[in-house]
Amino acid sequence: RKESKVESTQAILRVSTGIGGLDDEIEGGFIKNSVNLVAGSPGAGKTIFAIQFIMQGIKNGEAGLFLSFEEKKENVYKYMAKFGWDLQKLEDEKKFFFLRYSPSQVYKLLEEGSGIVENIIKQYNVRRVGIDSITAFTLLYKDELSQREALLALFNLVQGWNCTAILTAEQESDPDRHHPNVIEFEVDGVILLYNFRTKQNVRQRVVEVLKMRGTRFAQRIFPMKIEDEGIVFYPGEVAF
């Protein structure tokens, strides 16, 4: 039985996150075809994380798809250009795809299935997907039960794409005020990005890997920075 367990562990395929300092903390990257949640307060770096993850795949020859329920394409392309990511050029080369869904289109997406999304994934062999953000998505539904049902429907849809996916969500900026939500129990991994104010009235960015199925990871909070090349984690340093 022990040998079988070792063989099973060794057979797990990983994909690099593209986030400096993260892969070594989660046994080499996300599990292939897993669905992972990156949650944080406004300005914490969630969208950057998702795009940076997709960019790593493009470097490895994997096409990527970014679904937005909130930001317009021109805004995302403009903000990401400062990291040297020419998303328009990659879109022209059919390596990067951007889709923005309005509220009515989101309802249609869930009712009719993937449609254009699945066609793009199959036609261009998309292997990485970013969805930004499921918080904006849940605001389309009035009560908690409807939100839960819609989230689970979206989650099941994403699972069927056979891609490694990043979902982003809004959350509290203070680590001590975090409360688990329904999607955290459904996804394979949860990474929390914090950008909170210290007692010295200084903003500090820190990160916590809260959950990662089938993965050994350090259960501690450590610093992160948004630098010229994107997000970098510093697991060897002490936060606070």
Side-chain angles (χ1 to χ4, degrees), residues 156-170:
N156 289 333
L157 199 63
V158 174
Q159 279 189 314
W161 295 339
N162 293 321
C163 296
T164 309
I166 297 288
L167 312 180
T168 74
E170 299 286 338

Side-chain angles (χ1 to χ4, degrees), residues 38-63:
V38 176
S41 58
K46 304 180 296 297
T47 304
I48 299 171
F49 190 112
I51 297 290
Q52 191 167 334
F53 167 73
I54 292 175
M55 288 299 299
Q56 179 64 30
I58 292 174
K59 291 178 183 177
N60 296 336
E62 304 168 349

Side-chain angles (χ1 to χ4, degrees), residues 143-224:
D143 57 81
E144 187 175 342
L145 178 60
S146 297
Q147 290 178 357
R148 181 186 178 93
E149 290 176 345
L151 278 173
L152 293 178
L154 177 65
F155 180 74
N156 289 333
L157 199 63
V158 174
Q159 279 189 314
W161 295 339
N162 293 321
C163 296
T164 309
I166 297 288
L167 312 180
T168 74
E170 299 286 338
Q171 69 143 27
E172 289 284 350
S173 60
D174 187 340
D176 294 329
R177 299 175 64 183
H178 172 72
H179 298 288
N181 55 53
V182 60
I183 198 66
E184 291 185 13
F185 294 101
E186 299 296 330
V187 295
D188 300 299
V190 179
I191 294 178
L192 305 177
L193 308 180
Y194 301 108
N195 182 25
F196 69 100
R197 188 170 60 188
T198 67
K199 293 180 180 179
Q200 292 75 33
N201 287 324
V202 176
R203 285 282 173 182
Q204 182 175 17
R205 298 182 187 276
V206 296
V207 60
E208 178 182 12
V209 180
L210 185 67
K211 171 186 176 182
M212 201 65 58
R213 285 178 181 155
T215 304
R216 295 187 186 91
F217 60 92
Q219 298 181 339
R220 66 179 185 278
I221 294 175
F222 48 85
M224 64 164 277

Side-chain angles (χ1 to χ4, degrees), residues 1 7 26 39 93 107 109 124 133 154 191 194 214 235 240:
R1 289 182 180 178
E7 289 174 0
I26 54 173
E93 296 172 348
Y107 291 126
L109 177 71
Y124 297 100
S133 77
L154 177 65
I191 294 178
Y194 301 108
F240 314 113

